[in-house]
Amino acid sequence: MRPIVITEFISLDGVVEAPGGGNHEHAGWTFEDVEFDPAAYEIKGREQQDAAALLLGRVSFEEFAPVWPSMDEFATYNALPKFVVSTSLTQDAVTASGWAHSHLLTTLDDVRKLRDGAHGDGSRFSDVTDGPVDDGIKTRLTLVESQQFANGINLAVFDVAR
């Protein structure tokens, strides 16, 4: 089984939403307020090389699906299976988005089946257990990599402490 990699852009004042755009008060803050440093985004290249699938929540899916399929820099991601965790979307809506290889997971049992390799495309995740990443379950993490960049970005990579 493969691990889940979670990438979040978080500002020091706590803004997590819409780093590249979207319908939020601070949408696009990573492009508008942070000087571009190619070295700071190298991790995105690593993620694309190592990823077997994308696991997205409804809001991320709804914001990415209209944009990412037309972006050459996300060609690797676009070719991957995408799994959308949502109780409010339908598979028809996910399919209608036009983002190829997108599948809906509506229950924790669906997520567990994916984790255990029961999904038809063979994708597997190892760290999807009893709930979503942000469901309030206390999880100990261990810092495994860190780096600071000239534009102020700090990279912190954590692993689940076992």
Side-chain angles (χ1 to χ4, degrees):
M1 288 192 264
R2 298 183 68 132
I4 291 180
V5 174
I6 302 161
T7 302
E8 292 184 323
F9 293 87
I10 305 170
S11 71
L12 289 177
D13 58 351
V15 176
V16 179
E17 300 159 329
N23 188 22
H24 302 283
E25 180 180 355
H26 301 287
W29 63 272
T30 59
F31 297 117
E32 296 168 8
D33 302 330
V34 178
E35 180 183 336
F36 180 74
D37 180 348
Y41 290 92
E42 179 271 334
I43 191 168
K44 299 307 291 176
R46 278 194 283 165
E47 285 176 1
Q48 287 190 60
Q49 291 174 0
D50 295 342
L54 295 177
L55 182 64
L56 305 159
R58 177 190 55 82
V59 173
S60 294
F61 179 79
E62 288 176 336
E63 290 187 1
F64 294 170
V67 180
W68 278 28
S70 64
M71 298 178 73
D72 292 338
E73 61 266 37
F74 294 121
T76 302
Y77 281 147
N78 290 327
L80 294 173
K82 286 158 282 297
F83 298 96
V84 185
V85 181
S86 174
T87 58
S88 60
L89 288 176
T90 64
Q91 182 59 54
D92 287 343
V94 170
T95 302
S97 75
W99 203 9
H101 317 294
S102 295
H103 311 278
L104 181 64
L105 304 175
T106 58
T107 68
L108 286 178
D109 283 340
D110 290 343
V111 176
R112 286 184 192 101
K113 288 176 187 175
L114 178 64
R115 173 196 65 198
D116 296 337
H119 194 275
D121 74 350
S123 298
R124 298 168 66 98
F125 295 104
S126 63
D127 288 338
V128 177
T129 53
D130 292 322
V133 171
D134 61 355
D135 68 356
I137 295 174
K138 185 176 180 180
T139 303
R140 287 189 37 219
L141 302 174
T142 303
L143 182 67
V144 295
E145 179 184 349
S146 65
Q147 189 172 356
Q148 295 179 329
F149 298 92
N151 64 355
I153 289 177
N154 286 287
L155 168 69
V157 179
F158 295 90
D159 197 355
V160 176
R162 301 197 189 283

